[in-house]
Amino acid sequence: MLKSLTSMLLAGTIGLSAVSAFAAEDYSGHTLVVGVWGGDIERLLRENAADPIEKETGAKVEFVLGGTGDRMARIYAEKDNPTMDVAFLNMYEAPQALADGVVDAPDPDSDMYKNIWDGMNNGCYAMSLVGLGIAYNKTLVDHPPEWKDMWDPQYNGKIAVSQYPGSEGDGLIGVAARLAGADEHDPDAAFAKLEELKPIAMTYTNLDEVFAMMDAGEVVMAPMISGYVLSALKEHPDIGFSFPTDPGPVLVRDMLCLVKNSPEPELAKMFAEKALGVKNQTDYAEQIYFGPTNKNVKLPETVSADVIDTPEEVDSLVQLDWPYVISQRSDWTQRWNKDLLGQ
């Protein structure tokens, strides 16, 4: 059972450090290229992986910021002559990238592989755990809502959704199907259920815009990914976040991929080791509410309460059939825009 959530951000970090299994060599003049999201994720990876590597080896670490679509396009386009060494992808992209030969398979003999919970290194190395839940206006909803509460007639016209395609929308389709007694393999049931939410209050592209509407009472609830919401709640005291239980949250897992035949494979391994190490994974949990995949991470109860941090919790989450979902995205995008948004 998922633990109760709090919205207080802990100060301080655990003074543990990841110890590199690779001997520090002189890589002066070498540049490691890492494709990743920006914001706090970039900051923590800079502090815990990039800066130490630059100090230890003399190499330069360059971050290429953007979404996973940008990274997928680049590593596929450069398959025969890659310029990116490390690419952070989503859980449904990593297995396909491995099958297509653009990333290396995780090394089961490596310590970083062994330190990750069993069964999570699917395609690439499992980096972090988050779940799709519900952000809500606490002045208008007096309890942490379940998914079915979004369909309560009193909130009609007050539900926001993210742009589609995306993990939030895929998760909501899966949830709607389950509320209709089916699953994502029955999109007719899912979209019929989704249409009951119309009219949609807004389609958001970033948290700032939807939180502004939520603070104003124009939006009551919106499906969102846990880590991003919880790290922002300190600035929005009237907004809460709920991990529903029936069905549960939808699992979202970020993956760290080593690009196949990259220019700097040893530096890439060093970066991966530090990113997946105890120090960085602890900071991820404490500062941005991304659950750790490293089983050696020990979190205080107050931090553990807000993140997904055990295999048992992962098993309690809704796990979509991602290969099927991806195969349907083109059709679902048309249905989302037409049937749900009326475009």
Side-chain angles (χ1 to χ4, degrees), residues 161-231:
V161 297
S162 65
Q163 279 189 326
Y164 191 81
S167 298
E168 295 91 342
D170 291 327
L172 183 57
I173 291 170
V175 165
R178 284 162 174 79
L179 291 177
D183 63 20
E184 61 270 19
H185 297 94
D186 188 348
D188 291 339
F191 279 95
K193 189 67 178 177
L194 286 174
E195 287 189 60
E196 296 175 12
L197 294 176
K198 295 166 53 176
I200 297 298
M202 69 176 296
T203 299
Y204 67 90
T205 57
N206 61 70
L207 294 185
D208 289 340
E209 62 181 355
V210 69
F211 281 171
M213 293 289 283
M214 200 169 283
D215 281 331
E218 296 298 318
V219 169
V220 174
M221 287 180 269
M224 293 186 186
I225 292 174
S226 58
Y228 303 121
V229 178
L230 290 168
S231 61

Side-chain angles (χ1 to χ4, degrees), residues 41-264:
I41 291 177
E42 174 200 4
R43 174 179 61 81
L44 290 175
L45 290 173
R46 168 61 64 185
E47 293 173 1
N48 294 326
D51 287 349
I53 286 174
E54 291 183 341
K55 182 178 180 180
E56 293 167 10
T57 70
K60 177 184 177 182
V61 180
E62 175 188 337
F63 284 136
V64 178
L65 305 182
T68 61
D70 300 325
R71 293 188 282 281
M72 287 284 281
R74 177 165 173 169
I75 62 177
Y76 274 80
E78 297 179 345
K79 181 177 180 179
D80 295 330
N81 189 27
T83 60
M84 184 175 286
D85 302 286
V86 178
F88 285 81
L89 303 179
N90 292 322
M91 62 186 293
Y92 51 85
E93 295 166 329
Q96 188 62 54
L98 177 61
D100 292 340
V102 294
V103 300
D104 285 328
D107 179 5
D109 294 325
S110 67
D111 287 340
M112 58 186 174
Y113 184 103
K114 295 175 183 178
N115 288 336
I116 293 173
W117 296 110
D118 292 344
M120 291 192 182
N121 293 319
N122 186 14
C124 297
Y125 295 96
M127 179 67 201
S128 58
L129 304 170
V130 289
L132 183 73
I134 305 171
Y136 65 101
N137 184 314
K138 294 190 293 185
T139 66
L140 298 175
V141 182
D142 61 6
H143 62 281
E146 292 287 337
W147 291 116
K148 65 180 181 180
D149 293 325
M150 291 175 48
W151 276 260
D152 190 315
Q154 68 177 309
Y155 305 128
N156 186 249
K158 298 287 188 178
I159 305 300
V161 297
S162 65
Q163 279 189 326
Y164 191 81
S167 298
E168 295 91 342
D170 291 327
L172 183 57
I173 291 170
V175 165
R178 284 162 174 79
L179 291 177
D183 63 20
E184 61 270 19
H185 297 94
D186 188 348
D188 291 339
F191 279 95
K193 189 67 178 177
L194 286 174
E195 287 189 60
E196 296 175 12
L197 294 176
K198 295 166 53 176
I200 297 298
M202 69 176 296
T203 299
Y204 67 90
T205 57
N206 61 70
L207 294 185
D208 289 340
E209 62 181 355
V210 69
F211 281 171
M213 293 289 283
M214 200 169 283
D215 281 331
E218 296 298 318
V219 169
V220 174
M221 287 180 269
M224 293 186 186
I225 292 174
S226 58
Y228 303 121
V229 178
L230 290 168
S231 61
L233 290 187
K234 59 185 178 180
E235 300 175 5
H236 299 275
D238 290 333
I239 297 176
F241 184 79
S242 170
F243 268 149
T245 61
D246 186 22
V250 179
L251 174 65
V252 180
R253 185 166 64 226
D254 291 338
M255 310 296 287
L256 186 159
C257 301
L258 303 182
V259 178
K260 193 175 186 64
N261 298 322
S262 78
E264 301 291 347

Side-chain angles (χ1 to χ4, degrees), residues 299-312:
L299 299 174
E301 289 186 8
T302 49
V303 177
S304 180
D306 281 347
V307 300
I308 301 162
D309 61 346
T310 68
E312 293 76 18

